[in-house]
Amino acid sequence: MNHHRQRFLPQSCSHLSAFRSAHGPNPFQSLQPCLKSRPLGPTSVRRELNDAVPRCSLCSSSAASHLYACLACPAVSCWAPNLHSPPHAAAHAAAAGGGHEIAVDLDRAELFCCLCRDQVYDPDFDTTVVRANRIFLSLPPPASHPKDKKKRRRAVEYRPWSPDPHERICIARGSSPLPPDSTAGLRGLNNLGNTCFMNSVLQALLHTPPLRNYFLSDRHNRYECQHKRVKICATDNAKSMAARLCLACDMDAIFSAVFSGDKKPYSPAKFLYSWWQHAANLASYEQQDAHEFFISMLHGIHEKVEQEKGKPQTQGSGDCCIAHRVFSGVLRSDVTCTICGFTSTTYDPCVDFSLDLEPNHGPVKNNTTKTHSCNGEMESMVSGQGAGVSTLMGCLDRFTRPEKLGSDQKLFCQNCQVRQESLKQLSIRKLPLVSCFHMKRFEHSSTKKMSWKVDRYLKFPFSLDMAPYLSSSILRGRFGNRIFAFDGDESDSSTESSSEFELFAVVTHTGRLDAGHYVTYLRLNNQWYKCDDAWITQVSENIVRASQGYMMFYVQKVLHYRRNEN
């Protein structure tokens, strides 16, 4: 059973509760004009230029690491350690009597209980701090606190299927149940001439759970689709032969063949021909890039939807076609002016996450080969120039890390009305049902006029939590971990219960840039299999972990369905 992660708000201390009872429902609203925000720093308590340097009222020190201003009187106290007496902030609270326990950190604008000697949390105080930030950064007001509103989940409507009379006849005429074998759908694909790039991606897609369920439930019937396309082409002689082709129909044919129970290798020649018609610039028997094929194939399925509906379909919502329903996500890009703090936000749809490998910080070693033996197989992991160890989480950290744009990349600031140096940060606004991570192993230099492959080893987890890379998490960290939904991104915090993914397919690349080979590792019923074109063998987890990952496919552990209105 899957247990959802819930965000529990910290419990307030008894002194904070007493302070709130004595000072009304929102005692922190008057603090908002006193808060100072900075474009690239934390919020602090504002001091005017002519104000004296704040000093501890007991020791007159101004050099303490933390100074606390009492919210009940003008006293400022430090937290200087003293072996024979309590810290000065605690001493002030004890000496002044009840009501003086709650203070605010001058440098970090955080509430502190002097008697509990710990930070305390209050949602209304966070509201005050966030509003001060938004006034400074010219951003819209924050949404209400999450505990005051129901969580909304981005969900897919569940529609139970039942066959109509025509479908009942078809089922009775020519259907057979799926074989009970736990390796159903595990079938090799023949190499049709340097087509391992296609076979490796097809194997991953054939075992992508939402995609597999879509085609095996006959949601795209190739016979009906073909009949419809023939009628359209018959009424318009200007239609080209390419209009008769449909990649989704050919995918449906592959699913039918692979899940038929036949274990002999299958030749996806019809699919290759259709893809060649769609991507004429890649139509050759030369080795192609597996990631480029993946993107081209998804685009081909989406493009067919546009042609049939007669108008462009946006992929941002992820509802236009099965390809984007499964793989479509949305990225958020924030560009902040380093001078005034004005933030410009854009949203872009994506079907995968292309990540840079972490830089090699260690010394470059001579080429060596480490050989791993498992299940009777020998696998090698090369470490040499450009080698080292990267982690998928480290690559995602780099992907969502703030990046300062250089002086040659100044962007126009709407607030300053001139070009200014900026800080750019990416985050994930909407997670796809299936996340594909593409590692940038092939690098090109236009100045050196050369290309090379990065053979750095990548450690990737079998279970992955994407919550730290969501826009809601990034924004909370930017605003001092205030627990809030920002700028219409409440949907992000609601999807954190669906942020846990598990690995089910890894496409690997071995060899040189111009003469390499693609292989896919699939997980079926907690057992891993190596799909090397027509050959399929069982392998252990160690083999998969030691492989040189190029594309990793993760599926959400929990899929949420919205209740049907009926």
Side-chain angles (χ1 to χ4, degrees), residues 176-179 184-185 187 216 254-263 266:
S176 60
L178 289 176
R187 186 176 182 182
L216 292 185
I254 296 177
F255 271 100
S256 296
V258 167
F259 284 88
S260 66
D262 190 350
K263 295 299 183 180
Y266 175 76

Side-chain angles (χ1 to χ4, degrees), residues 483-548:
I483 303 180
F484 262 93
F486 296 96
D487 199 15
D489 279 320
E490 62 272 11
S491 59
D492 290 349
S493 34
S494 68
T495 57
E496 289 186 4
S497 61
S498 300
S499 64
E500 294 187 2
F501 288 73
E502 59 182 356
L503 181 71
F504 69 90
V506 181
V507 175
T508 68
H509 182 274
T510 56
R512 303 192 310 272
L513 176 66
D514 55 345
H517 183 59
Y518 290 98
V519 166
T520 299
Y521 293 95
L522 293 174
R523 186 173 72 175
L524 296 178
N525 295 324
N526 293 323
Q527 177 59 55
W528 285 94
Y529 298 89
K530 178 182 178 182
C531 302
D532 187 353
D533 287 331
W535 295 273
I536 295 181
T537 54
Q538 185 173 323
V539 297
S540 72
E541 287 188 0
N542 292 336
I543 295 293
V544 181
R545 294 184 188 278
S547 64
Q548 195 173 90

